[in-house]
Amino acid sequence: MNQRLRNTFGLALTITTLFISYATALPAQAQAALTRGDVVALANTDRAQSGVAGNLAEDARLDAAAQAVANDMAAKGYFSHVAPGGTTPWYWLKRAGYYYWSAGQNLAVNFDDAQSLNSAWMNSPTHRANIVNAGYSRIGIGIAHGTYHGKPATFIVEYFANPYLGSSKVAVR
């Protein structure tokens, strides 16, 4: 290989490496900007502004169920309340050992900050209804990075519940 061809190949390899490094850094940046705590805090602010008494308490088992859903969507590249194999949102709660009187689920994909995510949910009547439902006292958040439609994606899952308090398996943070 002549020197000119080697230099051109080397430059192309350097540019490609820089591009790959930048592209793979994006999900990490998105993860840093989108935290469970921020999502919970904004939901509680929305509830207070809507006149709902009482904050949502973050629940470790709801977090586990939400994270399992987010991980599943990220691994399999789908975005839906029902997984391609037919798994429903309630399966994940049962799998996490969470017992509840009532529960709801919000999903989102490709948001990189809590404020824009929260605004989108509050502008959707069905998502807003879950956030401001006075019957829910617990919340769980899951965030995962994967691929959706062939592109890097961030999957966000938000569970709400009114736990069955007769069970010793409900854990609140």
Side-chain angles (χ1 to χ4, degrees):
M1 186 182 319
N2 70 31
Q3 185 62 35
R4 186 173 169 192
L5 188 56
R6 263 189 243 135
N7 290 344
T8 302
F9 180 75
L11 179 61
L13 184 59
T14 302
I15 290 171
T16 302
T17 303
L18 287 172
F19 176 76
I20 291 170
S21 297
Y22 178 75
T24 56
L26 289 178
Q29 291 168 354
Q31 186 177 20
L34 182 64
T35 67
R36 284 182 167 134
D38 289 343
V39 175
V40 172
L42 288 168
N44 281 325
T45 298
D46 292 332
R47 288 167 66 87
Q49 290 173 349
S50 298
V52 178
N55 282 340
L56 294 163
E58 190 172 1
D59 188 295
R61 288 192 190 268
L62 281 180
D63 280 344
Q67 191 62 54
V69 177
N71 291 344
D72 193 63
M73 287 192 297
K76 296 176 182 173
Y78 72 93
F79 177 65
S80 175
H81 290 283
V82 179
T87 303
T88 68
W90 323 123
Y91 163 83
W92 301 102
L93 293 172
K94 182 177 180 181
R95 183 174 164 208
Y98 195 85
Y99 300 92
Y100 58 92
W101 288 109
S102 59
Q105 182 192 62
N106 286 348
L107 302 178
V109 66
N110 288 335
F111 286 87
D112 61 359
D113 69 278
Q115 187 60 54
S116 61
L117 168 67
N118 187 70
S119 293
W121 276 339
M122 289 302 287
N123 286 323
S124 163
T126 55
H127 295 96
R128 178 187 182 89
N130 275 338
I131 293 170
V132 300
N133 184 332
Y136 296 143
S137 61
R138 305 288 193 273
I139 188 170
I141 308 295
I143 302 168
H145 302 283
T147 304
Y148 184 58
H149 293 304
K151 297 180 181 173
T154 302
F155 297 87
I156 305 103
V157 178
E158 184 176 51
Y159 267 115
F160 301 92
N162 174 20
Y164 174 66
L165 296 176
S167 170
S168 62
K169 294 186 179 189
V170 175
V172 178
R173 283 189 200 179

